[in-house]
Amino acid sequence: SSMGLSLGDLYLSSLLFLNAIAVLNEDRFLAKHGWSTNSPEVNFNPSSFKSKILSMVKAVRLVMTWPLIALNTVTIVFKLILG
C-alpha cells in the first residue's frame, strides 16, 4: 500500500477533528488554560484570535451536533461492512 493521503483519510481526519472540537468542555478544559468566553481578553477584544477561535468552537458545538452523529454513524457502518 502507498503512503499517500487519500480522500478517505482526509475525511476521517476532519471527522476526528470536528469530534474533538465538539466534545471540548469550556468549564473543565478550556477555562483552565485561559480559553474561556469569560476571560478579559475575549470580552475586551472581540476581534482577537482567541475570541474568533472560541466563536468557532461554539458554532461547531451548536450547529454540528446532529450532523456529526449522522456522519459518525455512517462512518462506523461503512467501516464495519467494508473493513
Side-chain angles (χ1 to χ4, degrees), residues 20 22 69 82:
I69 292 171
L82 301 175

Side-chain angles (χ1 to χ4, degrees), residues 26-27 30-32 34-46 50-59 61:
E26 186 175 336
D27 297 330
L30 295 175
K32 278 187 197 176
W35 284 77
S36 173
T37 53
N38 298 330
S39 69
E41 180 183 339
V42 172
N43 290 332
F44 292 132
N45 190 4
K50 187 184 280 191
S51 177
K52 289 180 181 184
I53 294 294
L54 285 172
S55 295
M56 186 200 63
V57 168
K58 282 188 172 237
R61 272 191 272 163

Side-chain angles (χ1 to χ4, degrees), residues 13-80:
S13 61
S14 61
L15 184 64
L16 286 172
F17 182 71
L18 286 173
N19 280 322
I21 291 174
V23 299
L24 281 177
N25 188 325
E26 186 175 336
D27 297 330
R28 291 192 324 178
F29 179 74
L30 295 175
K32 278 187 197 176
H33 304 288
W35 284 77
S36 173
T37 53
N38 298 330
S39 69
E41 180 183 339
V42 172
N43 290 332
F44 292 132
N45 190 4
S47 64
S48 70
F49 176 74
K50 187 184 280 191
S51 177
K52 289 180 181 184
I53 294 294
L54 285 172
S55 295
M56 186 200 63
V57 168
K58 282 188 172 237
V60 166
R61 272 191 272 163
L62 178 69
V63 174
M64 292 297 292
T65 301
W66 290 106
L68 274 175
I69 292 171
L71 288 172
N72 284 321
T73 304
V74 167
T75 303
I76 289 169
V77 169
F78 276 145
K79 285 288 188 180
L80 285 174

